[in-house]
Amino acid sequence: METKALYIHIPFCDHICSYCDFAKVYYREEFVLKYLERLKEELNALPHHIMRTIYIGGGTPSALSLKQLDILLSMVDPFVGDDTLEYTIEVNPESATLDKLECMHTHGVNRISAGVQTFNNDLLKKIERYHTSDIAKEVVRNAKAIGFKHISIDLMYGLPGQTLEDVKEDLHIALSLPVNHLSYYSLILEEHTRLYDSFEPLDEETEGKWSDYIVETLSHAGFHRYEVSNFALGNHESEHNKVYWHYDNYYGVGIGATGKIDNELISHSRSLTDYLQGKIQYI
């Protein structure tokens, strides 16, 4: 049985958020070009058939320049065809410029996942995000105007200093935008993240109340909850993420990426240096 799902990790970020625990490095052009060369070698080693789902995550894939993004997506083109149900790329609002969104759409990307986190500008500063509420709204509207069929945003609750009123406002704004999928996460920090030492998590009772409010509000707006933190309108569930949750097979390429073939998990090392030297180091 052919494996029909592909995950590609792009680790580069213009800045590192204070809560992030993913495999990531600061953007440097010379590293990006070398990384794309190594990524091409990995992709060329895969069976070249059309994938049902493709997901490009990070890091920040939209941190790539327009030219670099076009190079990356051109490498993925052989895996895209009429049988590709879902082709997702993660973006940060501040780097998801109109020309990059148009480039993505031209290459067949049909789903955008935007890391909004909150529409409150003060809270965005506290968690060291570099976009504003207006920029996030503009990216969503641009994606809709360009023709993306599936538009998802990530939101978070339990942020430092956040109130239930802030959550209500985030939901109000989100539901006013042309999004058909939301991932809504409670902030949980790992010890080695910068925000950890100053983080006061919500107590269990408050978290429960906020979570219930989010679920109820989204349900009334027509979003069904199909996973703990994921909500969709109609048939706009994340088909690629369901591959993971159903324990189906998928390829994973790039540092920190994991793949699964039958009963074997294949995890890449997070070392960019080793990867650029040709040492993929499955662990």
Side-chain angles (χ1 to χ4, degrees):
M1 185 175 180
E2 287 184 329
T3 297
K4 292 293 189 75
L6 170 63
Y7 174 77
I8 301 167
H9 192 76
I10 304 299
F12 301 101
C13 295
D14 290 320
H15 61 276
I16 306 298
C17 299
S18 57
Y19 55 86
C20 182
D21 187 42
F22 294 112
K24 74 279 184 186
V25 293
Y26 282 109
Y27 175 95
R28 285 177 58 180
E29 184 175 6
E30 64 271 27
F31 286 169
V32 173
L33 296 176
K34 291 179 181 178
Y35 188 84
L36 292 177
E37 290 175 5
R38 288 289 303 114
L39 204 57
K40 185 175 183 178
E41 292 177 11
E42 266 207 282
L43 288 170
N44 284 341
L46 297 179
H48 273 48
H49 58 247
I50 303 305
M51 297 291 170
R52 182 176 181 272
T53 68
I54 301 169
Y55 195 108
I56 302 177
T60 311
S62 59
L64 302 186
S65 70
L66 179 61
K67 182 178 180 180
Q68 292 163 352
L69 182 65
D70 186 59
I71 291 172
L72 168 65
L73 298 179
S74 296
M75 288 159 39
V76 185
D77 282 346
F79 302 98
V80 183
D82 292 340
D83 292 336
T84 302
L85 175 65
E86 181 183 278
Y87 184 179
T88 301
I89 189 165
E90 292 180 350
V91 303
N92 273 359
E94 70 273 16
S95 57
T97 55
L98 186 60
D99 53 0
K100 291 181 185 178
L101 291 173
E102 290 173 340
C103 177
M104 296 169 190
H105 192 257
T106 298
H107 280 279
V109 177
N110 61 15
R111 185 175 186 270
I112 293 294
S113 179
V116 174
Q117 316 315 349
T118 177
F119 290 100
N120 184 300
N121 288 331
D122 290 335
L123 291 175
L124 285 169
K125 291 178 182 177
K126 287 183 179 180
I127 60 174
E128 300 180 24
R129 298 291 289 188
Y130 280 46
H131 67 271
T132 64
S133 176
D134 286 343
I135 291 173
K137 296 173 192 174
E138 181 180 26
V139 167
V140 171
R141 290 169 180 148
N142 283 343
K144 176 66 174 179
I146 289 170
F148 285 95
K149 295 180 180 178
H150 312 285
I151 303 174
S152 177
I153 62 173
D154 288 357
L155 292 174
M156 302 177 77
Y157 67 98
L159 299 174
Q162 190 178 37
T163 67
L164 180 57
E165 290 304 312
D166 295 327
V167 172
K168 290 180 179 180
E169 181 64 14
D170 278 349
L171 283 166
H172 174 74
I173 294 173
L175 293 174
S176 74
L177 295 170
V179 300
N180 42 42
H181 186 278
L182 283 99
S183 297
Y184 218 134
Y185 302 103
S186 172
L187 177 61
I188 299 173
L189 293 181
E190 302 297 332
E191 289 189 26
H192 50 277
T193 57
R194 290 198 307 279
L195 193 58
Y196 180 82
D197 289 336
S198 59
F199 177 58
E200 289 292 336
L202 295 177
D203 62 79
E204 188 173 334
E205 181 179 358
T206 301
E207 181 175 348
K209 287 181 179 179
W210 288 22
S211 176
D212 289 344
Y213 179 84
I214 291 166
V215 173
E216 182 178 352
T217 301
L218 291 175
S219 177
H220 285 166
F223 284 79
H224 64 275
R225 186 186 197 183
Y226 69 102
E227 192 272 340
V228 175
S229 302
N230 286 272
F231 306 82
L233 275 177
N235 63 349
H236 294 284
E237 296 177 2
S238 172
E239 296 299 325
H240 185 84
N241 283 339
K242 288 197 291 187
V243 170
Y244 305 148
W245 302 331
H246 295 166
Y247 209 57
D248 294 333
N249 285 353
Y250 59 97
Y251 297 113
V253 298
I255 68 166
T258 298
K260 176 193 169 290
I261 304 298
D262 297 328
N263 294 319
E264 182 180 9
L265 283 176
I266 306 166
S267 297
H268 288 58
S269 164
R270 288 186 169 210
S271 171
L272 178 63
T273 301
D274 286 348
Y275 189 74
L276 296 182
Q277 291 176 350
K279 304 173 185 175
I280 294 179
Q281 286 194 348
Y282 297 115
I283 55 176

